[in-house]
Amino acid sequence: TDKIVVAIDGPAGSGKSSVSKAAARRLGFSYQDTGAAYRALAWYVAERGIDTADEAAVVEALRDFDYAIGIDPDNYFVRVGGIDVEEAIREPRISAIVSSVARILPVRAYLVELFRHVIETSDTPGIITEGRDITTVVCPDAPVRILLTASEEARMARRSAEISGQSAADVAKNLLSRDAQDSRVVDFMNAADGVTVIDSTDLDFDQTIQAVVDLIDAQA
Ligand code: C5P
């Protein structure tokens, strides 16, 4: 039988990571967080003291970028050079520079191939891959493609609840400026042809997971 490939895109704070991971767990699928790869690369170049404005140096750093992820939702990890970076890559200092790494086209080309390889070599009945350009660039032919959205207010509120040590106003400012920068490179605010929109503004976490699982059950 064919592996079920599920592509989910959405803006920051839409809840797509936690929802995708929970839906994968419920279905016995693998889960791939592509934002983690951009964040891990941003962490790695920061670690090496490379200025992200120096695009050639960032591209050069890809040669030694030793990235590994666990796609089992119950045994999920992100490692660079064997170091667990799952927490470090979520820090505000990384969120602040990740867009400047993600806009470098050779970086995108490299990571898109890596994401496709992970999908091809996964050995579960299905895999949910989540990010900004999964429905349009990474897997435009996936049988299930979802744009997960939520109102700006809902996204800010959810992200504020996740992050401690930052005021709600700072969280909102950072999130909006990241979305604005990212939107210049990929369109994740509008659904491409054939992509189903799930608006989670008025859904709680469990209802959102259920909406995703129902769609996968119906379309796959
Ligand atoms: O999903 P998350 O917010 O962790 O993604 C971090 C960053 O990685 C985004 O702000 C964006 O710059 C980049 N990204 C991307 N394409 C993807 C996933 C993430 O450019 N498919």
Side-chain angles (χ1 to χ4, degrees), residues 90-132:
R90 313 284 162 195
E91 288 173 10
R93 72 178 177 100
I94 301 301
S95 300
I97 61 166
V98 66
S99 298
S100 59
V101 167
R103 73 168 172 236
I104 304 171
L105 294 182
V107 163
R108 303 198 70 80
Y110 178 90
L111 290 181
V112 166
E113 283 312 312
L114 188 149
F115 301 148
R116 289 180 181 151
H117 178 76
V118 168
I119 292 168
E120 274 155 29
T121 56
S122 64
D123 61 359
T124 46
I127 177 165
I128 300 179
T129 298
E130 158 264 303
R132 300 289 189 292

Side-chain angles (χ1 to χ4, degrees), residues 16 34-35 38-39 90 98-99 102 108 130-134 178 182:
K16 60 190 169 5
T34 63
Y38 289 96
R39 288 174 177 277
R90 313 284 162 195
V98 66
S99 298
R108 303 198 70 80
E130 158 264 303
R132 300 289 189 292
D133 62 345
I134 314 305
R178 191 148 60 86
D182 292 337

